[in-house]
Amino acid sequence: MKTEITLKQINKLAIPALIAGVAEPILSLTDTAIIGNVDTNAAESLAAVGVVGTFISMLIWVLGQTRSAISSIVSQHLGADQLDKVKNLPAQAIFIITSISIFIIIITLPFASQIFKLYNASDVILDYSVDYYSIRVFGFPFTLFTIAIFGTFRGLQNTFYPMIIAIIGTIVNVVLDIALVYGIDGLINPMHIKGAAWASVIAQITMALSSAYFLLSKTDISLRITFPFNKEIKNFIQMILNLFVRTLALNATLYFATRFATSYGTEYIAAYTIAINLWFLGAFIIDGYASAGNILSGKFLGAKNYKKLVELSQFLIKCGIGVGIILLLLGLISYNFIGHIFTKDQLVLDEFYNVFWIVLAMQPFCALAFIYDGMFKGMGKMKFLRNLLLLSTGLVFIPLLFLLDSFDLKLYAVFIALTFWIIARGIPLIIKFRQLFLSLSQKT
């Protein structure tokens, strides 16, 4: 195994993955900033984007785990010099996952109003939520298609092309957001929240087409579906099922956080929407280094190079905590004006600034949790990740949220509970990794 663990090598994987990873939160933040500054019902529109964004994120995170499963299988076979055995797996995985996504559209679209009532949306917020979802959900299959191809590229140790694809999609989304939400005099009438939804869908279609082009032109992986299924499809499905249950726990966290924030009032859910999207942005930036861990850990495990695996974990922790501290400092520097980018509503700004410091303080803890989370995904340890998230959600986040809410702490309750949830995810991963690989690394 010739792969060297240096900052240059890590950054070669991490920085493109970071740029690709922040595409989704940037799309959400773009919607948030543009919708939050419309002339009519800005706070209600912002709240609707937050509610729908939470639900769509749940769908994407549940089925988007395809990326981690494909990446793990491909990278381990690459490390074992057996890539030819899984070349038909990505196309089969895409077929399975996009078929499921179409089924989800069919069963959720007629019940959109009932779904968003579960998030405590009502009146104007509920109407806007249904309008926004009824358009944006059609980008769902295209997003999953793109995510699966990103997983294939990651398994091949390539994060450059996903970065290019993400940049293309982000540019398309930002330009169309401005044009469709606000309109262009004499050409396009302002479409308000529906314009933001259409901008997202068109950007997602553009990314899917770009993904197909780069995969077919830059690799020898085919998108033609062949049968019978690859023998690794069983392993793929087991990983997906474990990650599915894990993601249900993740989204239970986001559901309760959003439900409680919505119940406090319009200014609270609007402030929560801004804060949680900035938290997502920080998470995806840190996830660039977690992606490097995901990519290389699978390769080292496939080659049974445990010494390199331990070296990788130690190096990435330094990188991740460093990035976390940088995000904290950048947040402090921009503290007094960042909220004004997203809204001019003073009530919303007051509630946002009450909790933004917690979002910033959380970043170093996020670094520890996300980096080890990425490595465990790369190694295919999905069952442990599943059990850990179930326990941290059921025994830490939900009880703590209800407890703090009983003291009428409102958004403080939500973000303090999220902080302890992150800590409960990170510490057991570190302990488990050391138990699994420290002794093995000393023998190689």
Side-chain angles (χ1 to χ4, degrees):
M1 179 71 57
K2 298 291 185 181
T3 305
E4 293 296 325
I5 303 174
T6 64
L7 185 60
K8 181 179 179 180
Q9 174 65 18
I10 294 298
N11 282 337
K12 184 178 179 181
L13 294 170
I15 292 176
L18 184 158
I19 294 170
V22 300
E24 177 60 29
I26 285 176
L27 296 186
S28 296
L29 284 169
T30 300
D31 285 350
T32 301
I34 291 174
I35 288 297
N37 285 285
V38 296
D39 295 330
T40 305
N41 295 334
E44 289 80 3
S45 301
L46 190 58
V49 169
V51 170
V52 176
T54 299
F55 182 67
I56 287 180
S57 293
M58 178 195 72
L59 296 176
I60 291 173
W61 288 347
V62 167
L63 295 178
Q65 301 302 323
T66 312
R67 181 181 68 178
S68 296
I70 293 175
S71 175
S72 176
I73 293 169
V74 171
S75 64
Q76 288 184 47
H77 280 76
L78 181 68
D81 198 24
Q82 297 177 345
L83 185 60
D84 286 342
K85 293 183 178 180
V86 293
K87 282 188 175 180
N88 64 341
L89 178 67
Q92 294 173 350
I94 289 170
F95 169 74
I96 293 170
I97 216 71
T98 53
S99 298
I100 295 173
S101 71
I102 293 169
F103 175 72
I104 288 175
I105 292 174
I106 293 170
I107 63 173
T108 60
L109 198 53
F111 303 102
S113 180
Q114 290 85 345
I115 290 169
F116 298 123
K117 284 179 182 177
L118 295 174
Y119 288 83
N120 283 332
S122 60
D123 302 325
V124 175
I125 294 175
L126 179 60
D127 293 338
Y128 282 167
S129 296
V130 173
D131 287 345
Y132 187 65
Y133 180 74
S134 297
I135 297 168
R136 193 172 172 190
V137 71
F138 288 101
F140 186 38
F142 298 99
T143 297
L144 294 179
F145 180 92
T146 302
I147 286 172
I149 291 181
F150 280 15
T152 305
F153 275 119
R154 282 192 179 192
L156 296 171
Q157 317 291 287
N158 185 314
T159 57
F160 177 75
Y161 294 120
M163 176 189 71
I164 298 299
I165 296 161
I167 290 172
I168 292 170
T170 302
I171 292 172
V172 170
N173 185 262
V174 171
V175 171
L176 289 179
D177 246 336
I178 296 170
L180 298 181
V181 172
Y182 299 139
I184 298 176
D185 192 33
L187 291 176
I188 302 172
N189 293 325
M191 297 175 67
H192 198 223
I193 196 168
K194 291 182 179 180
W198 279 116
S200 294
V201 171
I202 295 170
Q204 288 161 339
I205 293 172
T206 302
M207 290 176 69
L209 293 174
S210 301
S211 298
Y213 167 76
F214 282 111
L215 186 73
L216 295 175
S217 63
K218 303 299 182 181
T219 76
D220 56 358
I221 303 290
S222 173
L223 288 175
R224 185 169 62 89
I225 302 166
T226 59
F227 297 100
F229 281 115
N230 189 285
K231 69 175 185 177
E232 285 291 332
I233 205 73
K234 181 179 179 181
N235 187 24
F236 168 78
I237 292 173
Q238 287 176 338
M239 287 186 183
I240 290 295
L241 289 175
N242 281 322
L243 290 172
F244 173 77
V245 175
R246 175 185 181 273
T247 309
L248 288 179
L250 173 64
N251 283 287
T253 299
L254 292 176
Y255 166 75
F256 278 104
T258 305
R259 180 180 172 84
F260 273 70
T262 305
S263 70
Y264 301 142
T266 299
E267 63 269 23
Y268 290 94
I269 181 58
Y272 167 84
T273 298
I274 298 170
I276 202 68
N277 276 299
L278 287 171
W279 183 78
F280 286 148
L281 178 62
F284 278 98
I285 289 173
I286 295 170
D287 193 55
Y289 288 89
S291 297
N294 180 294
I295 292 164
L296 291 173
S297 62
K299 185 177 179 181
F300 290 146
L301 185 65
K304 294 181 170 53
N305 195 334
Y306 305 116
K307 184 177 181 180
K308 285 287 186 183
L309 194 56
V310 171
E311 289 178 11
L312 175 67
S313 71
Q314 294 169 342
F315 192 86
L316 283 176
I317 282 298
K318 296 176 185 177
C319 293
I321 292 178
V323 172
I325 292 172
I326 290 171
L327 289 174
L328 169 61
L329 294 175
L330 289 174
L332 292 174
I333 292 170
S334 61
Y335 200 91
N336 290 328
F337 66 82
I338 193 167
H340 296 270
I341 296 173
F342 301 101
T343 184
K344 297 179 179 65
D345 189 315
Q346 191 57 48
L347 290 176
V348 175
L349 287 170
D350 289 344
E351 296 306 328
F352 166 72
Y353 281 116
N354 281 341
V355 295
F356 184 46
W357 66 271
I358 303 176
V359 174
L360 296 180
M362 217 189 294
Q363 296 308 309
F365 298 110
C366 290
L368 287 169
F370 296 157
I371 283 175
Y372 273 96
D373 189 86
M375 290 189 66
F376 271 70
K377 285 181 181 177
M379 296 183 294
K381 307 293 183 182
M382 313 307 190
K383 184 177 179 181
F384 183 78
L385 291 174
R386 177 200 69 190
N387 293 339
L388 176 60
L389 201 61
L390 286 170
L391 291 172
S392 58
T393 298
L395 299 181
V396 178
F397 176 77
I398 293 176
L400 187 56
L401 177 61
F402 276 88
L403 174 65
L404 296 175
D405 179 70
S406 69
F407 291 99
D408 199 31
L409 293 179
K410 294 188 167 60
L411 290 186
Y412 285 117
V414 173
F415 284 95
I416 291 172
L418 282 173
T419 302
F420 280 92
W421 176 69
I422 285 291
I423 294 171
R425 289 174 56 187
I427 292 175
L429 288 174
I430 297 172
I431 295 171
K432 184 67 173 179
F433 182 87
R434 293 174 66 85
Q435 289 175 344
L436 287 173
F437 298 111
L438 270 186
S439 61
L440 287 173
S441 69
Q442 294 166 0
K443 298 174 183 178
T444 57

